[in-house]
Amino acid sequence: MGKSQKKRMMRRHNPMRVPDSHLPQGLASAESASTKKEAILPIIQKMESPDGSERKWACVAVSNLIQNDPSTRRLLQGKNVVGALITRLSDSEEEVWIEAAGALRNLCIDGGYDICAEMYNKNILAPLRTFVPKVSTMLAQFLESPRNAPESAKRVVYEFADNVITILWCLSETSNKALNAINQINLIPFLMSFLSSRDKLPMSTVVSAAQSLYVLTDDNQAAIDEVRSNPAYSSCLLDIVRCNDRDPKGKSKDLSQDRFEALKVLCCGIVGNVSPLPPPSAASTLDGVNDLLLPVLLPVISSVSLDEIAQQVQELVTRQASEPPAIEKLSLKNTPKSDHKAQTELELEQLENELRTIQLALEVLTGACATLPDPASGITTDENEDVQDEDVEMEVDNDMTEGISLDEKLHPHKGTKRSSTALLPQLVRPLLTLVRPTFLSVSPPSRLSIHPPATSALSAIHVSAFECLNNLFLSLSTSPNPELGADVNTGRDVWSEIWAALSKVGLDIAPGQECKRDIWEVAVGVLWGIGNIWKGKLAPIDQQVQILMNVCDSSVDARVQAKCIGTLECLAQYPDSIEANQVISSYLLSILPTATTPATKGTEPLLQSVSALIDIYSDETLPYDINFRNGSFLDRLVESVDGVKKVVKAIDRRKERDLKLRGEEVRDNLVAFIEYRRAL
């Protein structure tokens, strides 16, 4: 079976919090959609005012105006608000650059990669570099002499540190260029200082530091080596992971349980990123999955109802609509505070944090379930290529150290079979629950959700849960377990639940509903994995077969097409479904080249189709083989040989070595299969 090669991609844990894909392109459309366009010009003007209070006001106003308002954010972008705010980071007045950092942080979080890329291109790292040592010095002073610093000063520094760290985290995910530049800032000791002093600092700032460290150690060898080189870092991370205290500081107002859980989840991810930890680390004697991950992550993904959270969000939004706005007018007399939030807003934020923690837990579990692909993989990975976040998809996501699972990395001599098989009963049930969309998981067609951050988080959870299932079933299918394969009822139940979830997702994708496409592209990989484990035991259903063919035809991603074809191949091998076998095989044959026409799809789906037909009809004693004989399939395969040979010959061995090997294998198998069937 040719499976998609795993590639590193920028993670999904900084999705666009308030998407704007439902808006037509161009500033004119944003202006027509914004209800605050009259406030834009005064903000931009006051950003350059000689009066420091006006400059501060302008920075704060940006934070307030963009909240859950992508059209206004886009308008501000069009007026170069990013460049203006970066300039204010070097302002002569402290309050101004503090508020500018807060506004830039909010733009990063709400606006996603495009805004982050703009910030990097406009050299935001220049002022940020100067802030890191300043914050480090002040932090050290506060920790050494806590009574000598007023609480108000500490609060300002901690909030400012949180903003700087969050910006650096978001920039780290923007591109390899940005990541390499951030590597030069020597951030690891800075970030670890927050984790090691976590009992003396606000948990929100500590979590931001952990989030940044999690991103920096993801397939980034410079950061990995630095963390591994310091035993104190490993000890700190493991202490957090193992901590069972509900409230270590006893200050539940600031240290909410959801943030502490987020910290533990992030530290699990960091440990996974940097494993194996060098001796004498305590982790060297642990089973990475069962001893470290599951005790922390399973409760996070198992003890939650997404439907209930969605309902709570709806109730809070309804309540919020009846409350007077916190800021009636943007005026210099009543300068709004960037951190002012009403109770309803705080409750919404807490629910969003809970959802993001679930998403993070799924990401870490996805890495734990990752396995190496087949040697004859259909996709090549160029280790030297510069991977951009918007250009890369992969079948097995959140790949850790070239696909090696956390359990393997902690115990290099162990295979994946034991860990993945042990994970199955514990993980599948909560994952199946998390792939089911709620009424709030997808925005209405061509407009915003009632609460975009919650919708963004929910859709990300569904994608991440499918990614975890994808890796889990791919792991199991590459190291077959006869006992599991014999449990046909489990296979059929899981298959049915996946399709039930997908039926709620639907295939109609309007602007602003791109998450549906993301779900389908991962879900077909899950279906392929399940199909391989229970090959020939899942009865094909006409509607499902048709949907798989439609997704294959509508997708422009060769890997998605190959996964659809692989799933159809598994369904075609159900012995008693002669009619479905004929429909699927005819579809696969339609992809093949003829003497006069090229293949209807690209190289990877073509190779998968040829391989599928060989597998389906490798046993002439099966009932559905009548389709091969009566349909003159042999003649059709013979007609495709020259075209297949041309396609394989055209693959560049230097650029796509794995694909070339795969193609040569399929080509040779096709010729041998034709000879075999002729001999019959």
Side-chain angles (χ1 to χ4, degrees), residues 401-660:
T401 312
E402 297 183 49
I404 302 175
S405 70
L406 175 62
D407 193 49
E408 276 189 292
K409 294 196 307 187
L410 292 173
H411 303 277
H413 300 295
K414 292 172 60 177
T416 60
K417 182 175 179 181
R418 174 186 174 275
S419 62
S420 57
T421 304
L423 282 170
L424 182 64
Q426 300 180 74
L427 281 180
V428 169
R429 181 48 51 193
L431 289 174
L432 288 175
T433 301
L434 294 176
V435 298
R436 297 175 193 152
T438 72
F439 69 89
L440 197 58
S441 296
V442 179
S443 297
S446 302
R447 59 190 176 93
L448 275 180
S449 155
I450 59 168
H451 192 257
T455 294
S456 173
L458 284 166
S459 61
I461 284 173
H462 302 318
V463 173
S464 295
F466 269 118
E467 287 170 343
C468 194
L469 283 169
N470 179 79
N471 286 8
L472 182 58
F473 285 117
L474 179 60
S475 171
L476 292 168
S477 66
T478 53
S479 48
N481 184 298
E483 182 179 348
L484 179 63
D487 186 359
V488 179
N489 288 334
T490 293
R492 290 172 178 169
D493 289 346
V494 173
W495 179 265
S496 297
E497 293 218 32
I498 295 294
W499 278 104
L502 290 174
S503 69
K504 285 190 171 185
V505 175
L507 286 166
D508 296 331
I509 303 174
Q513 297 183 328
E514 290 77 12
C515 65
K516 288 185 176 184
R517 184 179 298 110
D518 294 338
I519 289 173
W520 273 102
E521 290 184 350
V522 181
V524 290
V526 179
L527 293 171
W528 192 9
I530 297 170
N532 271 291
I533 295 169
W534 289 281
K535 185 177 289 187
K537 299 171 184 175
L538 301 172
I541 297 173
D542 292 346
Q543 184 183 24
Q544 295 174 0
V545 169
Q546 189 59 53
I547 288 173
L548 286 167
M549 292 190 294
N550 290 344
V551 172
C552 186
D553 288 338
S554 62
S555 176
V556 295
D557 190 321
R559 284 157 288 197
V560 173
Q561 294 174 348
K563 286 186 269 189
C564 291
I565 291 166
T567 309
L568 289 168
E569 170 196 338
C570 298
L571 293 175
Q573 295 184 53
Y574 189 75
D576 298 329
S577 291
I578 296 175
E579 184 177 348
N581 173 279
Q582 196 276 333
V583 170
I584 293 171
S585 297
S586 296
Y587 176 75
L588 298 178
L589 287 168
S590 72
I591 296 172
L592 273 54
T594 69
T596 57
T597 60
T600 60
K601 300 194 185 302
T603 301
E604 295 152 41
L606 168 61
L607 296 177
Q608 190 61 49
S609 297
V610 174
S611 178
L613 287 163
I614 294 171
D615 287 348
I616 293 168
Y617 295 110
S618 61
D619 185 350
E620 71 279 3
T621 65
L622 289 169
Y624 56 68
D625 195 71
I626 190 173
N627 292 325
F628 188 91
R629 299 190 299 270
N630 291 351
S632 301
F633 287 2
L634 181 59
D635 294 339
R636 182 68 184 84
L637 290 174
V638 170
E639 188 182 17
S640 73
V641 170
D642 286 343
V644 171
K645 288 181 177 179
K646 288 179 183 178
V647 169
V648 173
K649 185 177 181 180
I651 302 172
D652 190 328
R653 187 182 298 273
R654 293 171 298 175
K655 294 181 179 180
E656 298 179 297
R657 181 177 178 275
D658 290 342
L659 185 60
K660 185 73 169 183

Side-chain angles (χ1 to χ4, degrees), residues 7 125 165 177 186 207 217 254 294 313 410 444 494 596 616 661:
K7 277 189 176 182
L125 287 182
I165 290 168
K177 287 183 179 179
N186 193 30
V207 169
T217 55
D254 181 59
L294 293 186
V313 169
L410 292 173
V494 173
T596 57
I616 293 168
L661 292 173

